[in-house]
């Protein structure tokens, strides 16, 4: 079983959109997949059409069995460990980085009985507790938009998480608009300097709004639009690195 975290300190870079679409593509490839929503906003849970009636924080604060908080989705082989606003207490419920790592590692080990891939949608914050979660996964997928702030956030993460091996980082370009000369220049001059960057560019697209309207991954509701093709290319790169 493999586990990846989709993480970025900077918000608004397509983190949740990427997590949802990668999970949907994995499931469509007959890989039993769990999308673990760890963001208090619960956007990934909502997009997948799940309305949780149980609070995930009790997994962390009271040690409740994690299986109680997993919901099936309408998509074959894709379940979601649903998030809700109770996760705003996550940093209070988990004592420290080591505790978070051990709890997450144990949970992933247990989930391995039912799933082949776990995709964790992390909140855009780097606390000791979130660092512990990141220590428990195989790879860290980082969406980077064509901006100095986005790159700075990635570099800050690498500095703070200096224990992460270079091969564990999987940054990729997202929200790129080829109609903007600054984005084209960034892709040509700046992106090649990010050594570990995946050879995939996720375009800026109005199709993402359609995904929210339909509450469905874009690769499912509009499989032939350019954004869906972009995500299929990203999934192919991720799948190869994970050796799935």
């Amino acid at each position: 079983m493999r586990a990846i975290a989709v993480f970025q300190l900077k918000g608004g870079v397509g983190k949740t959109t990427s997590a949802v679409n990668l999970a949907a593509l994995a499931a469509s490839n007959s890989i039993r997949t769990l999308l673990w929503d760890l963001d208090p906003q619960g956007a990934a849970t909502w997009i997948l059409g799940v309305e949780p009636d149980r609070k995930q924080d009790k997994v962390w604060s009271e040690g409740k069995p994690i299986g109680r908080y997993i919901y099936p989705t309408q998509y074959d082989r894709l379940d979601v460990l649903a998030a809700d606003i109770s996760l705003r207490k996550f940093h209070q419920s988990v004592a420290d980085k080591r505790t978070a790592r051990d709890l997450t590692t144990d949970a992933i080990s247990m989930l391995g009985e039912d799933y082949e891939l776990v995709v964790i949608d992390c909140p855009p914050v780097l606390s000791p507790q979130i660092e512990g979660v990141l220590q428990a996964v195989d790879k860290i997928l980082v969406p980077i938009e064509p901006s100095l702030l986005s790159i700075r956030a990635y570099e800050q993460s690498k500095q703070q998480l200096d224990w992460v091996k270079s091969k564990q980082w999987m940054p990729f370009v997202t929200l790129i608009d080829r109609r903007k000369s600054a984005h084209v220049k960034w892709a040509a001059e700046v992106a090649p300097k990010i050594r570990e960057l995946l050879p995939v560019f996720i375009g800026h697209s109005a199709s993402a709004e359609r995904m929210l309207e339909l509450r469905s991954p874009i690769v499912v509701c509009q499989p032939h639009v350019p954004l869906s093709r972009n995500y299929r290319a990203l999934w192919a790169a991720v799948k190869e690195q994970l050796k799935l």
Side-chain angles (χ1 to χ4, degrees), residues 27-220:
S28 72
N29 282 185
S30 299
I31 296 171
R32 291 173 291 123
T33 304
L34 176 70
L35 178 55
W36 186 338
D37 193 350
L38 201 54
D39 192 327
Q41 295 183 70
T45 300
W46 184 82
I47 290 171
L48 291 175
V50 172
E51 301 287 350
D53 56 3
R54 297 179 288 277
K55 299 185 181 301
Q56 191 192 134
D57 183 65
K58 290 187 177 180
V59 171
W60 307 95
S61 62
E62 300 179 19
K64 297 290 185 180
I66 201 168
R68 295 182 184 178
Y69 303 86
I70 295 175
Y71 295 76
T73 71
Q74 60 184 302
Y75 311 107
D76 292 340
R77 296 174 294 277
L78 177 57
D79 295 338
V80 60
L81 178 48
D84 60 273
I85 197 64
S86 74
L87 283 173
R88 72 188 188 282
K89 303 175 185 177
F90 177 70
H91 310 302
Q92 303 168 20
S93 302
V94 182
D96 51 31
K97 175 172 60 178
R98 182 173 182 176
T99 302
R101 180 198 64 200
D102 292 345
L103 288 172
T104 307
T105 299
D106 290 345
I108 289 173
S109 178
M110 183 197 71
L111 291 168
E113 298 177 6
D114 297 307
Y115 301 100
E116 296 167 271
L117 175 65
V118 174
V119 179
I120 304 179
D121 185 20
C122 297
V125 61
L126 185 53
S127 64
Q129 292 79 7
I130 292 298
E131 184 173 351
V133 170
L134 295 175
Q135 285 184 334
V137 302
D138 299 299
K139 302 277 188 178
I140 303 174
L141 193 62
V142 187
I144 299 176
E145 65 177 333
S147 75
L148 293 176
L149 285 178
S150 190
I151 293 179
R152 182 171 184 269
Y154 175 52
E155 293 298 336
Q156 287 176 320
S157 298
K158 290 177 64 178
Q159 291 171 9
Q160 179 65 30
L161 306 175
D162 56 3
W163 48 265
V164 180
K165 298 177 181 178
S166 59
K167 64 181 180 181
Q168 289 180 276
W169 290 111
M170 292 196 300
F172 65 97
V173 177
T174 187
L175 297 179
I176 188 165
D177 190 339
R178 297 287 186 179
R179 298 169 299 180
K180 295 182 178 180
S181 59
H183 281 203
V184 173
K185 182 177 180 181
W186 186 94
E189 298 179 3
V190 180
K193 298 178 182 178
I194 306 174
R195 184 178 56 182
E196 58 273 20
L197 194 70
L198 294 178
V200 178
F201 287 72
I202 306 296
H204 183 279
S205 173
S207 299
E209 293 298 322
R210 184 62 173 161
M211 183 183 80
L212 298 178
E213 293 172 8
L214 297 175
R215 291 183 67 178
S216 174
I218 194 66
V219 296
V220 174

